[in-house]
């Protein structure tokens, strides 16, 4: 009974240090990603697409769960290596082994913690990330549509230019009230050789595009001859939302595992697009399980030899993370190109880490002990 009590105290002692270091690690790695890649995205959206700062900032906050899913494996690895390396430097692991507690028993609470974090990561990726990603995209599209609408003005014109600086579309609006345009006429010269004239009583923007009510569309050739006339009660036109194609690249992140399977099965996809979506599908399982693979390789590397008297845990963590994401980037690229099967494109980093980690763990536990 006394021995069982001591074992429980050991678990609490190790887990306390692991959790403290894990929280710090997730905070640090999340901050680094936000300060680099995400901050650059924020500046790009503000300068290139005219998205207001407060909207771009909200979009970043909505993408926070997606970043946390990426940093959970990093945080677990850092906490594992730093905790065990610190125990090793203080000779506490040596004392535990002298008391008959092997490395398997010492690492047990860490592996349990890693499994729980894998489940938590999968849960966040399945429930929170798709909703937040969809809201972020809708917010961007709404903002793009709203940026040219001057509230309260009457009889005004605004234009959209093409890459050469010529007029691509010309909008005439009778007046604007509550972000709804009234008495609208749109001249669209985007298609060479024809001019499309759209007239509508009302119009507004939405994530799906421009929504027009009660109007008509006339197609006119270069000589002024009307080629086609279409009347409508309600129509959605997607012009002017230039960021939509870019945002739709993240369509897989807007769906959970089961919805993405259904999307792939019921849509005719090009080979490259199919490869990308299948890699995303397999990655929804592979990424959470990365946590366990990283712990498997981190535990043996954290045990410092007796002659080493400095903490090398942080250095090991950075090197392992760098190696993991290098392998991940290469395997995903090969998978998207079709050089590797989609399954291997997503799972190759985990397979490599698990093989190496199993060899190192076996050597550390059964050879030395």
């Amino acid at each position: 009974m006394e021995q069982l009590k001591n074992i429980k105290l050991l678990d609490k002692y190790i887990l306390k240090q692991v959790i403290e270091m894990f929280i710090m690690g997730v905070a640090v790695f999340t901050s680094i990603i936000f300060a680099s890649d995400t901050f650059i995205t924020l500046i790009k959206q503000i300068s290139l697409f005219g998205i207001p700062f407060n909207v771009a900032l909200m979009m970043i906050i909505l993408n926070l769960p997606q970043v946390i899913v990426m940093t959970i494996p990093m945080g677990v690895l850092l906490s594992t290596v730093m905790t065990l390396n610190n125990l090793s430097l203080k000779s506490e692991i040596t004392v535990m082994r002298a008391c008959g507690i092997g490395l398997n028993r010492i690492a047990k609470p860490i592996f349990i913690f890693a499994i729980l974090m894998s489940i938590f990561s999968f849960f966040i990726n399945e429930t929170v990330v798709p909703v937040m990603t969809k809201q972020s995209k809708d917010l961007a599209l709404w903002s793009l549509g709203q940026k040219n609408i001057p509230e309260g003005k009457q009889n005004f014109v605004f234009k959209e230019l093409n890459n050469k600086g010529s007029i691509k579309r010309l909008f005439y609006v009778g007046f604007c009230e509550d972000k709804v345009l009234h008495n609208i006429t749109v001249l669209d010269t985007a298609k060479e050789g024809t001019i499309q004239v759209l007239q509508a009583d009302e119009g507004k923007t939405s994530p799906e595009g421009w929504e027009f009510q009660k109007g008509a569309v006339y197609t006119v050739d270069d000589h002024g001859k009307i080629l086609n006339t279409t009347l409508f009660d309600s129509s959605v036109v997607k012009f002017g939302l230039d960021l939509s194609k870019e945002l739709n690249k993240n369509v897989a992140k807007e769906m959970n595992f089961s919805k993405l399977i259904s999307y792939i099965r019921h849509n005719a996809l090009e080979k490259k697009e199919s490869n990308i979506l299948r890699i995303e599908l397999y990655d929804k399982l592979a990424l959470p399980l990365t946590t366990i693979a990283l712990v498997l390789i981190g535990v043996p590397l954290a045990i410092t030899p007796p002659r080493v008297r400095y903490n090398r845990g942080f250095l090991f963590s950075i090197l392992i993370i760098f190696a993991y994401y290098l392998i991940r980037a290469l395997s995903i690229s090969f998978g998207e190109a079709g050089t590797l099967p989609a399954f291997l494109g997503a799972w190759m980093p985990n397979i490599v880490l698990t093989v190496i980690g199993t060899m190192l763990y076996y050597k550390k536990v059964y050879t030395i002990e």
Side-chain angles (χ1 to χ4, degrees):
M1 190 68 179
E2 185 68 26
Q3 186 178 3
L4 182 61
K5 183 179 178 181
N6 291 335
I7 290 176
K8 290 182 178 180
L9 288 174
L10 175 64
D11 291 339
K12 291 180 182 179
Y13 177 68
I14 294 175
L15 279 176
K16 181 177 181 295
Q17 298 180 64
V18 168
I19 292 172
E20 289 175 354
M21 191 61 64
F22 168 75
I23 294 172
M24 186 197 76
V26 170
V28 169
F29 289 124
T30 301
S31 300
I32 291 173
I33 293 176
F34 263 56
S36 54
D37 181 65
T38 313
F39 183 75
I40 293 173
T41 302
L42 168 64
I43 299 301
K44 178 181 177 181
Q45 290 168 346
I46 293 173
S47 60
L48 193 58
F49 302 110
I51 295 178
F53 177 82
N54 60 333
V55 175
L57 186 60
M58 181 61 66
M59 290 168 59
I60 288 179
I61 294 174
L62 289 172
N63 284 314
L64 181 60
Q66 183 178 333
V67 177
I68 291 177
V69 169
M70 293 288 294
T71 57
I72 283 176
M74 303 183 198
V76 172
L77 173 65
L78 179 67
S79 62
T80 298
V81 175
M82 292 292 286
T83 298
L84 291 181
N85 201 202
N86 188 48
L87 292 176
S88 181
L89 286 173
K90 294 178 179 179
S91 301
E92 293 184 57
I93 289 183
T94 303
V95 173
M96 293 178 194
R97 286 180 168 179
C99 295
I101 303 174
L103 186 58
N104 272 329
R105 183 61 191 83
I106 296 172
K108 181 180 177 181
I110 299 177
F111 277 108
I112 293 174
F113 179 73
I115 293 171
L116 292 176
M117 287 301 100
S118 293
I119 296 171
F120 175 73
S121 178
F122 179 78
F123 175 78
I124 294 295
N125 208 26
E126 283 290 285
T127 57
V128 179
V129 171
V131 175
M132 294 295 192
T133 303
K134 182 66 167 59
Q135 289 181 349
S136 177
K137 187 184 81 170
D138 289 348
L139 185 61
L141 295 176
W142 174 85
S143 177
L144 282 172
Q146 295 291 308
K147 70 175 183 178
N148 289 322
I149 300 179
E151 181 70 23
K153 276 194 175 183
Q154 294 184 358
N155 298 320
F156 61 91
V157 175
F158 59 90
K159 59 188 177 181
E160 180 185 353
L161 303 179
N162 59 23
N163 295 332
K164 297 179 181 179
S166 303
I167 292 178
K168 184 177 180 181
R169 296 183 184 92
L170 188 68
F171 294 73
Y172 168 79
V173 180
F175 65 97
C176 179
E177 184 178 5
D178 296 329
K179 293 297 182 180
V180 176
L181 308 178
H182 298 269
N183 302 332
I184 308 158
T185 299
V186 181
L187 299 179
D188 188 352
T189 61
K191 187 176 181 180
E192 188 175 351
T194 62
I195 298 176
Q196 196 171 61
V197 182
L198 183 148
Q199 293 180 319
D201 289 347
E202 294 182 358
K204 61 181 180 179
T205 60
S206 72
E208 289 74 30
W210 287 80
E211 296 181 0
F212 296 104
Q213 306 293 329
K214 297 180 181 179
V217 178
Y218 309 94
T219 303
V220 184
D221 64 13
D222 291 337
H223 304 290
K225 182 181 178 180
I226 298 178
L227 303 177
N228 186 33
T229 302
T230 304
L231 303 177
F232 63 84
D233 290 326
S234 179
S235 179
V236 177
V237 185
K238 292 186 178 295
F239 55 65
L241 298 176
D242 298 328
L243 190 59
S244 58
K245 290 183 180 179
E246 184 69 24
L247 292 172
N248 283 334
K249 291 180 180 179
N250 291 326
V251 64
K253 295 191 185 329
E254 298 175 23
M255 294 178 277
N256 58 27
F257 190 82
S258 59
K259 288 184 179 179
L260 186 53
I261 290 177
S262 178
Y263 182 85
I264 294 173
R265 285 178 177 175
H266 296 94
N267 287 274
L269 305 171
E270 296 180 1
K271 184 176 180 180
K272 184 175 181 180
E273 185 180 3
S274 177
N275 287 340
I276 293 173
L277 291 179
R278 289 180 184 277
I279 289 173
E280 288 278 359
L281 176 68
Y282 296 131
D283 194 52
K284 288 181 181 292
L285 294 176
L287 185 58
L289 291 176
T290 300
T291 305
I292 301 173
L294 287 174
V295 169
L296 187 63
I297 198 172
V299 168
L301 291 178
I303 307 301
T304 306
R307 292 184 298 273
V308 177
R309 304 310 302 169
Y310 62 91
N311 195 324
R312 56 186 189 177
F314 184 76
L315 176 61
F316 274 147
S317 299
I318 298 301
L319 291 176
I320 295 170
I321 290 170
F322 177 78
Y324 166 73
Y325 282 103
L326 177 61
I327 298 171
R328 176 182 168 85
L330 290 174
S331 64
I332 289 178
S333 297
F334 286 138
E336 291 177 351
T339 307
L340 281 177
F343 178 82
L344 286 179
W347 281 89
M348 183 62 75
N350 285 12
I351 294 172
V352 172
L353 288 181
T354 301
V355 171
I356 296 175
T358 300
M359 294 170 58
L360 291 174
Y361 193 87
Y362 179 85
K363 181 179 179 181
K364 181 68 70 172
V365 174
Y366 297 103
T367 304
I368 295 179
E369 288 190 343

